[in-house]
Amino acid sequence: QVQLVESGGGLVQAGGSLRLSCAASGSIFSINAMGWHRQAPGKQRELVGVITSGGSTVYVDSVKGRFTISRDNGKNTVYLEANSLKSEDTGVYYCYVNVNGRAYWGQGTQVTVSS
C-alpha cells in the first residue's frame, strides 16, 4: 500500500505565498511523475502542474511564473511553491504521484486566498 500525506494549506492574503508538501510512503519501488491538481468551488478539478522523474515541469497557463513544482526523490516528496497568490487560486489542492505505475492522490488541502 502507498499513502500520500499533504500539508501546508491555509488562509493567505492576495499577493502572499504558500508552500504545499506531499509525502509518499509505503511499498514504493519507483516514482515517476508527480504533480498537483486543484478544484475551485463549483468547478471541475484542473491540472496545476506536473514534474517528471527527470525534473522537467509543465504548468497550466494561469500559474506560470507564479507557481513552482519541485521534488525531493530521497524523501519521496513533491512541493508546490505558490507565490503572488490571487483570489482565483482558492480551492482544494490535491497532489498526484505515480508510484509503481499506479496513480495515487493526496487527501487534499484547502488554500484560501482573501482579497
Side-chain angles (χ1 to χ4, degrees), residues 26-106:
S27 301
I28 298 172
F29 300 101
S30 66
I31 294 181
N32 298 307
M34 309 174 85
W36 295 88
H37 287 63
R38 67 184 179 186
Q39 187 164 19
K43 295 187 177 181
Q44 290 187 331
R45 188 178 299 192
E46 66 169 355
L47 173 70
V48 174
V50 174
I51 184 166
T52 68
S53 57
S56 298
T57 53
V58 176
Y59 301 96
V60 67
D61 285 347
S62 60
V63 307
K64 284 180 181 177
R66 300 188 298 121
F67 288 16
T68 301
I69 294 175
S70 60
R71 60 192 286 168
D72 184 331
N73 293 328
K75 295 181 179 180
N76 295 332
T77 299
V78 60
Y79 304 96
L80 175 64
E81 187 80 33
N83 299 311
S84 302
L85 283 160
K86 306 175 181 179
S87 57
E88 51 263 43
D89 294 317
T90 293
V92 179
Y93 283 67
Y94 299 90
C95 65
Y96 156 88
V97 181
N98 185 302
V99 180
N100 306 334
R102 284 187 57 185
Y104 292 87
W105 293 88

